[in-house]
Amino acid sequence: MQPLSSSSRERLVAAGRAGWMGMGRGAGRSALGFWPTLAFLLCSFPAATSPCKILKCNSDFWSATSGSHAPATEDAPEFCAALRTYALCTRRTARTCRGDLAYHSAVHGIEDLMSQHNCSKDGPTSQPRVRTLPPGDSQERSDSPETCHYERGFHKHAAAPNYTHCGLFGDPHLRTFTDRFQTCKVQGAWPLIDNAYLNVQVTNTPVLPGSAATATSKLTIIFKSFQECVEQKVYQAEMGELPAAFADGSRNGGDKHGASSLQIAEKVSGQHVEIQARYIGTTIVVRQVGRYLTFAVRMPQEVVDAVEDRDSQGLYLCLRGCPLSQQIDVQAAGPAPATPEAFPYEAAAAKCKEKLPVEDLYYQACVFDLLTTGDVNFTLAAYYALEDVRMLHSHKDRLHLFGRTRELPGGAAPRLPRGPWPLLAALGLLLPLLPELR
């Protein structure tokens, strides 16, 4: 593809005012009108007038396929790779470009070009040219790719993203993205999150030999490669080891231009790590409390729902909750066998009250864990889990969750036994029939 002369560009810009909209897939190369339309769109509209970022997509493609960066011919593999990158860019900005004529022209034009040049939709994309940062410049640059900062994709007048929260802590207790609260067994490896952008898997092991009580001993998070933003990264934590880096030793998303949109920060050495994945608007908090791990995440609803395999959603614990067979109904099960380590009820209640003065489900989970394990560190696990909700949950009125009694036929409420078990039975009654708490 030869670079265009200035006179040719002028003729093409004039001819391109009709855009792609009047062309069919059978249009010849001379009638394609791609360059005229692109030049017209780049020159006619100021980029700052709209939250739609299609002009940046146009500009990037123009830059990649013209001048010294142009492929030798339009049939070269590099041209198809540039087209796929262009198509990806339009998809990333689709949310804010629904009513934009330039956006729809670009989408139709890309389809025509792919068809005429026999480009497959699947295949390699062209890598963006990395700009060298000035000496001493921060990684947190405002000129990083727009697609690598989720919140920047929302216009100031548009509705803010809807964020959700999921947490896992203790013996273990699960708070789902829909604010359901469950106590589960889930021994072994289980997926917490499994969507198009990341996977989170936990491994739960018995707290005491022969006990049904389990806690999280291992956590694996896989951030999938995301175009110009990040390379695939794996984070792994185990009992006694809470790294402040990914498995490859890095602390960000790799060598891509938007790598700083994925970063790890160590808040407390060996105890508290925070991972910011700004390209998907997600914050993850991992803690080691005593021997075991806790997990909390804040994630936009559209990222939560980006499930690649709809048939496997049932195993996505943060979304669907624990399977019925794995949920613990405390009332039906009764108290756990006494162990020398277990707290008596009054001592457990008093200990949990020190950190959790509100008798919500986090307080109840704390008491349950002390009665079943005798490990005082579970008090801190419940406390920090609630603190993470306070920090991560968008709806502050849903900070505390409380048990609801299940109605019996005739409207009578169930009688709960005296002693410690009214408290734990209230927790157990939620399982497995707890409705979504609002």
Side-chain angles (χ1 to χ4, degrees):
M1 181 175 60
Q2 298 299 320
L4 298 173
S5 66
S6 58
S7 60
S8 297
R9 286 184 186 276
E10 291 173 1
R11 289 196 299 272
L12 288 174
V13 169
R17 294 183 185 274
W20 272 317
M21 302 304 289
M23 296 184 302
R25 290 187 179 275
R29 193 174 295 190
S30 62
L32 187 58
F34 162 70
W35 290 112
T37 302
L38 185 54
F40 170 67
L41 294 174
L42 285 169
C43 299
S44 301
F45 302 102
T49 59
S50 170
C52 175
K53 302 301 179 185
I54 189 60
L55 298 186
K56 184 178 186 303
C57 298
N58 294 344
S59 178
D60 288 348
F61 183 65
W62 174 277
S63 176
T65 55
S66 63
S68 61
H69 303 291
T73 71
E74 289 188 4
D75 294 320
E78 293 85 355
F79 186 74
C80 289
L83 272 176
R84 283 188 287 266
T85 302
Y86 191 14
L88 177 68
C89 187
T90 62
R91 290 196 295 272
R92 296 281 184 258
T93 193
R95 182 176 56 250
T96 55
C97 292
R98 290 190 182 95
D100 192 289
L101 178 61
Y103 164 77
H104 291 288
S105 295
V107 169
H108 287 288
I110 292 168
E111 292 177 356
D112 285 332
L113 284 169
M114 283 191 164
S115 175
Q116 292 185 32
H117 296 283
N118 297 318
C119 297
S120 64
K121 292 184 178 180
D122 298 322
T125 55
S126 56
Q127 295 296 322
R129 293 186 299 281
V130 178
R131 286 170 284 182
T132 303
L133 299 179
D137 199 359
S138 169
Q139 286 187 321
E140 299 292 334
R141 290 183 59 87
S142 61
D143 62 349
S144 62
E146 194 74 22
T147 56
C148 299
H149 199 297
Y150 181 84
E151 291 183 353
R152 289 180 192 163
F154 285 83
H155 189 243
K156 62 181 178 181
H157 298 303
N162 178 32
Y163 289 98
T164 58
H165 163 78
C166 176
L168 186 77
F169 69 98
D171 184 13
H173 308 285
L174 172 71
R175 180 170 179 160
T176 71
F177 284 128
T178 53
D179 288 331
R180 288 180 291 166
F181 194 96
Q182 301 173 341
T183 298
C184 309
K185 293 179 286 187
V186 288
Q187 183 173 334
W190 289 80
L192 269 184
I193 299 174
D194 183 7
N195 62 33
Y197 304 100
L198 78 162
N199 301 106
V200 180
Q201 180 174 282
V202 293
T203 300
N204 300 311
T205 55
V207 176
L208 298 170
S211 171
T214 62
T216 302
S217 58
K218 185 176 181 179
L219 173 73
T220 302
I221 306 172
I222 301 175
F223 296 90
K224 301 178 183 179
S225 178
F226 189 75
Q227 294 308 314
E228 68 262 51
C229 301
V230 300
E231 300 169 353
Q232 178 170 298
K233 292 289 178 177
V234 177
Y235 179 79
Q236 199 164 60
E238 300 185 48
M239 288 195 306
E241 185 177 355
L242 189 70
F246 293 109
D248 62 2
S250 65
R251 293 197 177 195
N252 64 20
D255 295 327
K256 296 186 177 182
H257 180 49
S260 63
S261 62
L262 174 63
Q263 290 188 324
I264 292 181
E266 186 176 58
K267 300 297 184 179
V268 180
S269 179
Q271 297 179 34
H272 180 189
V273 166
E274 186 172 301
I275 304 175
Q276 291 282 351
R278 294 179 183 83
Y279 65 101
I280 51 173
T282 296
T283 300
I284 294 175
V285 175
V286 182
R287 299 179 187 268
Q288 176 155 302
V289 185
R291 298 176 59 211
Y292 300 103
L293 303 172
T294 71
F295 171 87
V297 63
R298 179 179 187 257
M299 183 179 289
Q301 188 65 52
E302 68 172 321
V303 177
V304 170
D305 294 335
V307 180
E308 294 176 321
D309 183 1
R310 294 281 170 183
D311 295 335
S312 68
Q313 284 191 50
L315 296 179
Y316 181 167
L317 298 188
C318 276
L319 186 63
R320 296 298 185 191
C322 298
L324 186 61
S325 63
Q326 295 296 315
Q327 296 178 25
I328 299 174
D329 186 332
V330 178
Q331 185 185 34
T339 65
E341 298 86 358
F343 276 67
Y345 169 72
E346 293 77 8
K351 191 68 179 176
C352 291
K353 200 76 170 179
E354 292 175 7
K355 286 288 187 181
L356 301 158
V358 178
E359 294 187 14
D360 61 0
L361 290 179
Y362 289 88
Y363 167 81
Q364 296 174 17
C366 172
V367 174
F368 176 79
D369 289 352
L370 293 188
L371 290 173
T372 55
T373 70
D375 186 345
V376 71
N377 287 302
F378 283 108
T379 302
L380 288 175
Y383 168 77
Y384 285 126
L386 186 59
E387 288 299 297
D388 290 338
V389 176
R390 197 185 307 276
M391 177 179 68
L392 300 175
H393 207 296
S394 295
H395 303 284
K396 302 309 178 187
D397 58 330
R398 300 182 196 172
L399 173 62
H400 298 286
L401 298 180
F402 298 90
R404 296 178 180 177
T405 55
R406 176 162 46 110
E407 289 190 1
L408 297 176
R415 284 178 182 245
L416 301 179
R418 289 177 160 268
W421 297 105
L423 179 69
L424 301 182
L427 181 65
L429 284 172
L430 301 175
L431 312 171
L433 301 175
L434 177 66
E436 182 177 328
L437 292 173
R438 294 293 179 190

